[in-house]
Amino acid sequence: MKHFDSLPDGELAIMQTVWDQEPPVSRSTIEEALNREKPLAATTILTFLTRLCGRGFLQVEHRGRTNYYTPLVSRKEYLAQESRRLLDRLYGGSLSAFAVSLSDSGITKEELEELREMLEADTL
């Protein structure tokens, strides 16, 4: 598995937008999608895109005056690594401590059933 840094909130919002689209994704498509949720200045979006390319999360392709971005890290890879970091950082790597905390959080029977089914089906 590749190892990469955690993303700050702004860069993560960009990546989530890119992951939600069919690649490659233009900057204007990213900006339009973000503006529906959390408007950001075009210069801020461009700064985040440049950082994400530099950090190896995105690849940029120049087509005339338009840049298109393709993810180099999948959402699944990123979430798996971040989940492991969370488990290690907050629960000392203890899955049982996490399960107790999850139970204390008020998880519903339906959510527990869904989790059980996913584990049994090995679809995680």
Side-chain angles (χ1 to χ4, degrees):
M1 179 196 287
K2 298 185 255 185
H3 290 284
F4 31 82
D5 294 333
S6 294
L7 293 173
D9 290 346
E11 292 175 26
L12 181 56
I14 298 285
M15 284 305 299
Q16 288 173 329
T17 301
V18 171
W19 285 323
D20 288 342
Q21 309 294 321
E22 184 67 33
V25 185
S26 70
R27 184 211 43 85
S28 60
T29 300
I30 295 166
E31 186 174 344
E32 183 180 308
L34 281 172
N35 283 337
R36 284 186 234 125
E37 303 286 320
K38 180 183 173 186
L40 293 173
T43 54
T44 302
I45 293 170
L46 189 54
T47 298
F48 287 154
L49 288 168
T50 301
R51 285 182 192 162
L52 288 164
C53 289
R55 294 172 74 178
F57 280 87
L58 293 174
Q59 174 181 309
V60 64
E61 176 186 348
H62 308 287
R63 294 185 200 164
R65 295 178 55 129
T66 305
N67 289 342
Y68 289 87
Y69 298 89
T70 301
L72 297 176
V73 174
S74 72
R75 184 189 315 253
K76 183 177 180 178
E77 289 173 309
Y78 184 76
L79 291 177
Q81 185 167 302
E82 284 301 291
S83 296
R84 175 41 75 181
R85 279 188 184 132
L86 176 77
L87 185 64
D88 290 345
R89 190 176 81 240
L90 295 181
Y91 301 98
S94 169
L95 194 54
S96 60
F98 172 70
V100 168
S101 179
L102 192 59
S103 177
D104 291 345
S105 75
I107 191 170
T108 67
K109 288 183 181 183
E110 292 80 14
E111 290 169 324
L112 281 173
E113 180 62 23
E114 181 182 352
L115 181 59
R116 186 189 62 75
E117 288 173 5
M118 288 169 39
L119 288 168
E120 287 177 357
D122 195 31
T123 58
L124 296 174

